[in-house]
Amino acid sequence: MKEIPKTTSSILISVIGESKASPTNEKYAEQVGALLAEAGAVVVCGGMTGVMEKVCKGAKSRGGTTIGILPGSNNVDANKWVDYPICTGIGDARNAIVVQAGQAVIAIGGSYGTLSEIGHALSANKRLVGLNTWDLDTNRLNSKHMVICQTAVEAVEAALKF
Amino acid sequence: MKEIPKTTSSILISVIGESKASPTNEKYAEQVGALLAEAGAVVVCGGMTGVMEKVCKGAKSRGGTTIGILPGSNNVDANKWVDYPICTGIGDARNAIVVQAGQAVIAIGGSYGTLSEIGHALSANKRLVGLNTWDLDTNRLNSKHMVICQTAVEAVEAALKF
Amino acid sequence: MKEIPKTTSSILISVIGESKASPTNEKYAEQVGALLAEAGAVVVCGGMTGVMEKVCKGAKSRGGTTIGILPGSNNVDANKWVDYPICTGIGDARNAIVVQAGQAVIAIGGSYGTLSEIGHALSANKRLVGLNTWDLDTNRLNSKHMVICQTAVEAVEAALKF
Amino acid sequence: MKEIPKTTSSILISVIGESKASPTNEKYAEQVGALLAEAGAVVVCGGMTGVMEKVCKGAKSRGGTTIGILPGSNNVDANKWVDYPICTGIGDARNAIVVQAGQAVIAIGGSYGTLSEIGHALSANKRLVGLNTWDLDTNRLNSKHMVICQTAVEAVEAALKF
């Protein structure tokens, strides 16, 4: 009788960032997505535009897998490179879930929603990597920190080092 | 130059049910999972034990894909046939998300959490299919209803008919 | 030096029910609100129309206190007898919070959202009282149950007996 | 026949800050709570220790009203100056709700949870006032900002100016 294969646990990495991305951040996002896919990691993101779209596009360019955790209730809101759109219907509170879902978090660029996710990631003791993102107030970071990287390669290496 | 393939949108079907399942409901769950996988649909569930575990096992027996939306913050809580564990950290409020994430919902057996999910599914106007589950008060169902099925085959057919 | 008085812990009772209420259920809701206020209990509800509005109106008719836990982000959505509108922005997932917030739960009439709240209340082991509401499938209630009452007086007495 | 008085809409102000507060921040919190109560505003907070406890204590010292939106499911977790404990059971995702519930937000000191709340407040276009809190990266604030104050009096005035 044939054995049903158990799932070999996937590594999920959350990528957070601005929905209206600068060309630089779009490029970083696409590179990060491609590198995560090459490393066999699954991309989790908010499923919308900007950094979220480009990181999914990058992952799909290397045959990777992408999950989008959406604020609304309609899966057509997902960008076209999201394999699995998870509609939540809970609005911006879904930011906390985007962060919870990853074993590490990479922040690329980012506006206010990204700032909330950085806070949630630090609260939840997630490994947090930053690429051209919020410059955090070092007086308040105590023992925790965000690993600051200069390239997509560095960011993905730092995220997967655990 | 090579085109990056857009995602052909997956059909996600939510399967809800009791965490301590009877042998009958375990069998139904495993059959439903297998049939959904054969039909190319992705299984979404709460990621834990009982019906949730067996539906994932059934899907994996046919090479399907499984997503578990977990109440807690630790992906080791997922059963071993969950491909993509989505930790939410929001406890039972995640029931609303399990339901939102599927294009249709199949209820198998079920206790109180399942009852909450049936309510959320009806509220959200999801196609809802029942297999050996809560007998709903017909005086209150108004125009909405749960399609009652007697076999896993019927349930999967009903869920995918949209 | 004057001592700052500690709060004597309020008893919060969640009242759930349909947003488009029948005259009978509106009357029950108003009576339940009045009786809860007379007993010194605080009314918690979803803050919107129908049963939610009438239970608040009843409570205010006796000088009671009312809290509305709203699905949206705008406090003008609250009915005019809500003292403290709590905007959540999380949509129907707020149903789980309406139930969590009360020490007991009274269901009056009710549609699909109420059904989800009944499920959440049973899951959370809350004392649950029903007045002209969903007739639950007794085969699935196991050891838990909803105390079925015929009058507002009975319902409030049952809710406060803990 | 006597008219039932409609609720004159309360002004709810969210106060966010660290659970292990420095003496300076404890003092600020207590002053802010007292001043909000004197102005007739209701204090909303996370309901726990540190800044959350002291702002409630300050409000109660002037006969004010306090609401604590708790991460867990047990109202005994609320500090003793919370009038209305709202158990949510959704963990840190409740941070988004603490912010949504207020018409303005005052941040006092603060660690990572507070940072997530600052992000949520900016996302939600809430009036945001800071007192000895995170120094935000001005390159990323664009048109939005946090009003930086040096005293509790200034902070409460800024929060109520809308």
Side-chain angles (χ1 to χ4, degrees):
Chain A
M1 190 187 157
K2 217 181 102 192
E3 188 75 2
I4 300 167
K6 293 175 195 172
T7 289
T8 55
S9 44
S10 308
I11 293 172
L12 276 62
I13 303 293
S14 301
V15 180
I16 60 178
E18 60 212 23
S19 55
K20 295 175 187 172
S22 69
T24 302
N25 289 332
E26 288 198 341
K27 195 177 158 191
Y28 281 142
E30 198 163 341
Q31 291 173 334
V32 162
L35 291 162
L36 286 172
E38 286 176 356
V42 173
V43 168
V44 177
C45 70
M48 307 295 279
T49 57
V51 163
M52 298 173 268
E53 182 167 353
K54 295 302 180 188
V55 74
C56 290
K57 186 182 179 193
K60 296 312 294 177
S61 76
R62 296 297 188 277
T65 299
T66 58
I67 296 174
I69 299 180
L70 299 164
S73 301
N74 198 333
N75 61 10
V76 302
D77 295 339
N79 72 63
K80 59 192 170 191
W81 288 287
V82 169
D83 292 319
Y84 306 115
I86 308 290
C87 294
T88 67
I90 65 168
D92 286 346
R94 76 82 153 82
N95 293 4
I97 296 179
V98 171
V99 162
Q100 285 287 352
Q103 281 144 286
V105 177
I106 302 176
I108 302 173
S111 185
Y112 314 117
T114 307
L115 184 61
S116 76
E117 291 167 321
I118 288 172
H120 283 298
L122 292 165
S123 273
N125 283 313
K126 295 283 176 183
R127 186 169 184 82
L128 175 63
V129 179
L131 191 56
N132 197 29
T133 187
W134 286 85
D135 196 2
L136 295 183
D137 180 350
T138 50
N139 291 326
R140 295 202 165 269
L141 281 170
N142 297 322
S143 58
K144 297 190 188 180
H145 67 296
M146 176 161 62
V147 181
I148 306 300
C149 297
Q150 305 302 330
T151 67
V153 171
E154 277 177 44
V156 170
E157 274 179 4
L160 294 177
K161 191 188 296 169
F162 59 92
Chain B
M1 189 188 159
K2 215 181 103 192
E3 188 75 3
I4 299 167
K6 292 174 195 172
T7 288
T8 54
S9 42
S10 308
I11 293 171
L12 275 64
I13 304 294
S14 300
V15 180
I16 60 177
E18 60 211 23
S19 56
K20 294 175 189 171
S22 68
T24 302
N25 289 332
E26 288 198 340
K27 195 178 158 191
Y28 281 142
E30 199 163 342
Q31 291 173 334
V32 163
L35 291 162
L36 286 171
E38 285 177 356
V42 173
V43 169
V44 178
C45 69
M48 308 294 279
T49 57
V51 163
M52 299 173 267
E53 183 167 353
K54 295 303 178 188
V55 74
C56 290
K57 186 182 179 192
K60 295 313 292 177
S61 75
R62 297 297 187 277
T65 299
T66 58
I67 297 174
I69 299 181
L70 299 164
S73 301
N74 197 333
N75 61 10
V76 302
D77 295 338
N79 71 62
K80 59 192 169 191
W81 287 286
V82 169
D83 292 321
Y84 306 115
I86 308 290
C87 294
T88 66
I90 66 169
D92 286 345
R94 76 81 153 82
N95 293 4
I97 297 179
V98 172
V99 162
Q100 285 286 352
Q103 281 144 284
V105 177
I106 301 175
I108 301 173
S111 184
Y112 313 117
T114 307
L115 184 62
S116 77
E117 290 166 322
I118 288 172
H120 283 300
L122 291 165
S123 273
N125 282 312
K126 295 283 176 183
R127 185 169 184 81
L128 175 62
V129 179
L131 191 56
N132 196 29
T133 186
W134 286 84
D135 197 3
L136 294 183
D137 180 351
T138 51
N139 291 325
R140 296 203 164 268
L141 281 170
N142 297 322
S143 58
K144 296 189 188 180
H145 67 295
M146 176 161 62
V147 181
I148 305 299
C149 297
Q150 306 303 330
T151 67
V153 171
E154 277 176 44
V156 169
E157 274 178 6
L160 294 176
K161 192 187 297 171
F162 59 93
Chain C
M1 189 190 159
K2 215 180 104 192
E3 188 74 4
I4 300 167
K6 291 174 195 172
T7 288
T8 54
S9 43
S10 308
I11 293 172
L12 275 65
I13 303 294
S14 300
V15 181
I16 61 178
E18 60 212 22
S19 56
K20 294 174 187 171
S22 68
T24 302
N25 289 332
E26 288 198 340
K27 195 177 159 192
Y28 281 141
E30 199 163 341
Q31 291 173 335
V32 163
L35 290 163
L36 286 171
E38 285 176 356
V42 172
V43 168
V44 178
C45 69
M48 307 294 280
T49 57
V51 162
M52 298 173 267
E53 182 167 353
K54 295 304 178 185
V55 74
C56 290
K57 186 181 178 192
K60 295 312 293 177
S61 76
R62 297 296 188 278
T65 299
T66 58
I67 297 174
I69 298 179
L70 299 164
S73 301
N74 197 333
N75 61 11
V76 302
D77 295 337
N79 72 62
K80 59 192 170 189
W81 288 287
V82 169
D83 292 320
Y84 306 115
I86 308 291
C87 293
T88 67
I90 65 168
D92 287 345
R94 75 84 153 81
N95 293 4
I97 297 180
V98 171
V99 162
Q100 285 286 353
Q103 281 143 285
V105 177
I106 301 175
I108 302 173
S111 185
Y112 313 115
T114 308
L115 184 62
S116 77
E117 291 167 321
I118 287 173
H120 283 299
L122 291 165
S123 273
N125 283 312
K126 294 283 176 182
R127 186 171 184 80
L128 174 63
V129 179
L131 192 55
N132 197 30
T133 187
W134 287 83
D135 196 3
L136 295 183
D137 181 351
T138 50
N139 291 326
R140 296 202 165 268
L141 281 170
N142 297 323
S143 57
K144 297 190 189 180
H145 67 295
M146 175 160 64
V147 182
I148 306 299
C149 297
Q150 306 302 332
T151 67
V153 170
E154 277 176 43
V156 170
E157 275 178 5
L160 295 176
K161 192 188 296 173
F162 59 92
Chain D
M1 189 187 157
K2 217 180 103 192
E3 188 75 3
I4 300 167
K6 292 174 195 172
T7 289
T8 55
S9 42
S10 308
I11 293 171
L12 275 65
I13 303 293
S14 300
V15 180
I16 60 178
E18 61 212 22
S19 56
K20 294 175 188 172
S22 68
T24 302
N25 289 332
E26 288 198 340
K27 195 176 159 193
Y28 281 142
E30 198 163 343
Q31 290 173 336
V32 163
L35 290 162
L36 286 171
E38 285 177 355
V42 172
V43 168
V44 178
C45 69
M48 307 294 280
T49 56
V51 163
M52 299 173 266
E53 182 167 354
K54 295 303 178 187
V55 73
C56 290
K57 186 182 179 192
K60 295 312 294 176
S61 76
R62 296 297 188 277
T65 299
T66 58
I67 297 174
I69 299 180
L70 299 164
S73 301
N74 197 332
N75 62 9
V76 303
D77 295 338
N79 72 62
K80 60 192 169 190
W81 288 287
V82 169
D83 292 321
Y84 306 115
I86 308 289
C87 294
T88 67
I90 66 168
D92 285 346
R94 75 83 153 81
N95 293 4
I97 297 179
V98 171
V99 162
Q100 286 286 353
Q103 281 144 287
V105 177
I106 302 175
I108 302 172
S111 185
Y112 313 117
T114 308
L115 183 62
S116 77
E117 292 167 321
I118 287 172
H120 283 298
L122 291 164
S123 273
N125 283 312
K126 296 284 175 181
R127 186 171 184 80
L128 174 63
V129 179
L131 191 56
N132 196 31
T133 187
W134 285 84
D135 197 3
L136 295 183
D137 180 351
T138 50
N139 292 326
R140 296 202 165 269
L141 281 170
N142 297 323
S143 58
K144 298 189 189 180
H145 67 296
M146 176 162 62
V147 182
I148 306 299
C149 297
Q150 306 302 330
T151 67
V153 171
E154 277 176 44
V156 170
E157 275 178 3
L160 294 176
K161 191 189 296 171
F162 60 91

